[in-house]
Amino acid sequence: MTVPPRLRRALVRLRRDVAFIAAGVTLHLVALLLQVWVVLLLLGTALDPDPDTPAVLAVSAPLLIVAGWGLTEPQRWRFRALCGVELPRQGFKEVKRQFGYNLLIGPLLGVLEFLLLALLLAALAASLVLVWIWAVPWEWRVQHHGYTTPASYLTVLGLVALAAVPVLAGGLVRLEILVGRAVLGVSRSDELARRVEDLTESRAGAVDAADAERRRIERDLHDGAQQRLVSLALNLGLAKATLTDLPPEAQQVIDAAHREAKDAIEELNNLVRGLHPAVLDELGLDAALSGLAARAPLPVRLRVDLPDGLPRRTAPAVEAVAYFVVSEALTNIAKHAREATRAEVTVARLGEILRVVVADDGPGGADPSRGTGLKGLAQRVRSVDGTFRMSSPVGGPTMMSVELPCPM
């Protein structure tokens, strides 16, 4: 006989729910019976002192304590093996939650489980009353004429109860899973801590991936487009020097193309240097910042203080952020603070902090809330858990301070 898939799934689910409830009633009622035993002993001692009662209590009370803690592992197995619900292993820190579940909530659930199993057995017995009656001697049936009417009522009631059992069992299992996860599951603080740890790791991975992608773009530009532009500018320069008999209009076109090619090379150089210069990987932050200071359009006083006893190099992501901050700051000074006559860049390692300060004597008035340049700087600093501060009153001077964590 072929069983419809829907009925088969319902039977499988019912068998799982009944097995889960049957396993639970044993564990829950063990704790309930222990508690009843201890309470009866205490009441008996109070009403009628018995010399043997303290000795019995000395055994039963530790059993109750052991049950409050030791029943947790069987409960974890029951949830995992029968319902596929994974509960975390509980330590001594969660002993209150374990006692609360095994000695307070568990017995209440055990009573519900016992009533449901009793209902199931009673429903099975009632639904088969007409079958059982045919097993009794026929003389009894003859003497109890009219027995078929109450037997039919009992059969109908049994079938109705059987129809209700899957619904009640499913609801009780869902209730137990909900309570189990709430009491024996991961606490909200632990869950938040785990999520913070996951987010921190994923963000660090994203920052490292972004730095690796910048290095790849820098290599591709340096070895590809930049070399082709240099070759183009060289050829245009040769054409400009050798093709002197061309019409003036053609010479003007070649001259303009030569000039645009050189401008494109300069812009590309600036772009590559701002991405991730190779010298930063090879020689470190001090050498890379020295190159930036030398190329700046205004005098820059650079001071890098890396005390002895501390690592000379920090994490690549931190070095890249520090370099990016100084590069963008000097570019902004040259672009927006043309009245500035000098700039100062100070990089100092203070324990597990790398402090970068960029100052200029320009007119000030820079506002991080306006525009995307300073906002992007602040976001880049925050990507490695750094802090970004800026002071730029109208009239100057302007000072940008960045602190980057450098765990040792």
Side-chain angles (χ1 to χ4, degrees):
M1 184 178 66
T2 303
V3 180
R6 190 171 179 179
L7 178 59
R8 188 187 307 120
R9 288 195 297 271
L11 291 175
V12 171
R13 192 181 306 114
L14 177 61
R15 185 179 61 184
R16 182 207 66 179
D17 292 345
V18 171
F20 183 78
I21 291 171
V25 72
T26 306
L27 297 173
H28 290 145
L29 291 186
V30 165
L32 178 60
L33 293 176
L34 279 173
Q35 292 182 78
V36 172
W37 183 28
V38 172
V39 170
L40 290 178
L41 285 175
L42 291 175
L43 288 177
T45 303
L47 297 176
D48 184 16
D50 188 344
D52 297 331
T53 301
V56 179
L57 276 174
V59 176
S60 58
L63 281 177
L64 192 61
I65 296 174
V66 171
W69 177 75
L71 289 176
T72 303
E73 278 302 310
Q75 293 290 359
R76 287 185 65 243
W77 172 87
R78 184 170 73 102
F79 276 87
R80 182 178 63 252
L82 299 177
C83 287
V85 176
E86 189 67 39
L87 297 177
R89 189 177 296 279
Q90 302 291 318
F92 286 105
K93 293 182 179 178
E94 293 82 15
V95 66
K96 291 182 179 178
R97 296 163 62 188
Q98 297 180 65
F99 271 70
Y101 181 82
N102 292 322
L103 300 183
L104 295 178
I105 301 175
L108 298 177
L109 295 173
V111 172
L112 296 178
E113 291 165 344
F114 177 79
L115 292 176
L116 184 64
L117 291 179
L119 176 63
L120 175 60
L121 295 176
L124 282 173
S127 61
L128 297 175
V129 164
L130 291 177
V131 178
W132 306 133
I133 285 179
W134 282 103
V136 301
W138 65 273
E139 292 86 357
W140 184 91
R141 295 198 297 271
V142 171
Q143 295 173 0
H144 296 79
H145 183 69
Y147 67 89
T148 54
T149 300
S152 299
Y153 286 145
L154 284 176
T155 302
V156 172
L157 287 176
L159 293 175
V160 171
L162 275 180
V165 164
V167 178
L168 296 175
L172 184 56
V173 170
R174 286 193 292 274
L175 174 64
E176 287 207 44
I177 292 175
L178 186 66
V179 173
R181 282 176 169 164
V183 180
L184 298 179
V186 180
S187 66
R188 184 170 177 78
S189 59
D190 293 341
E191 178 68 16
L192 288 175
R194 187 186 62 79
R195 292 185 62 183
V196 168
E197 185 177 351
D198 291 344
L199 289 174
T200 302
E201 291 180 359
S202 62
R203 190 184 62 176
V207 171
D208 292 341
D211 283 339
E213 185 65 12
R214 289 191 190 95
R215 293 190 187 93
R216 187 190 65 77
I217 294 173
E218 188 271 335
R219 286 195 303 270
D220 292 347
L221 290 175
H222 184 270
D223 299 337
Q226 194 176 26
Q227 296 301 320
R228 292 192 181 92
L229 278 175
V230 171
S231 178
L232 175 62
L234 183 61
N235 290 332
L236 288 173
L238 289 174
K240 179 181 172 184
T242 57
L243 301 177
T244 55
D245 55 345
L246 291 176
E249 294 80 5
Q251 288 184 348
Q252 289 179 359
V253 171
I254 293 176
D255 186 55
H258 187 212
R259 187 169 54 253
E260 289 179 1
K262 290 194 293 186
D263 292 342
I265 292 172
E266 183 61 26
E267 290 181 4
L268 192 57
N269 283 334
N270 294 333
L271 176 62
V272 168
R273 284 195 292 267
L275 284 175
H276 195 98
V279 68
L280 182 61
D281 284 337
E282 296 170 357
L283 301 178
L285 191 59
D286 192 357
L289 294 182
S290 298
L292 273 182
R295 292 190 298 271
L298 74 167
V300 177
R301 181 184 178 189
L302 173 66
R303 187 174 63 186
V304 180
D305 184 13
L306 300 175
D308 296 335
L310 295 177
R312 302 290 298 176
R313 302 292 300 269
T314 60
V318 173
E319 285 189 341
V321 172
Y323 177 84
F324 179 77
V325 166
V326 176
S327 175
E328 287 295 303
L330 294 179
T331 301
N332 288 339
I333 293 171
K335 188 183 299 184
H336 303 294
R338 299 183 184 278
E339 296 84 353
T341 59
R342 58 186 176 83
E344 291 187 6
V345 177
T346 304
V347 179
R349 178 76 181 267
L350 306 172
E352 296 186 352
I353 294 293
L354 182 68
R355 177 177 294 167
V356 180
V357 179
V358 182
D360 67 80
D361 60 350
D367 186 358
S369 63
R370 294 184 301 177
T372 58
L374 293 175
K375 191 178 296 183
L377 268 180
Q379 290 174 346
R380 186 78 183 273
V381 171
R382 283 197 294 269
S383 70
V384 291
D385 286 336
T387 57
F388 177 88
R389 289 189 292 271
M390 189 166 189
S391 172
S392 182
V394 176
T398 298
M399 186 182 72
M400 179 190 302
S401 176
V402 170
E403 291 185 349
L404 304 172
C406 305
M408 291 184 288

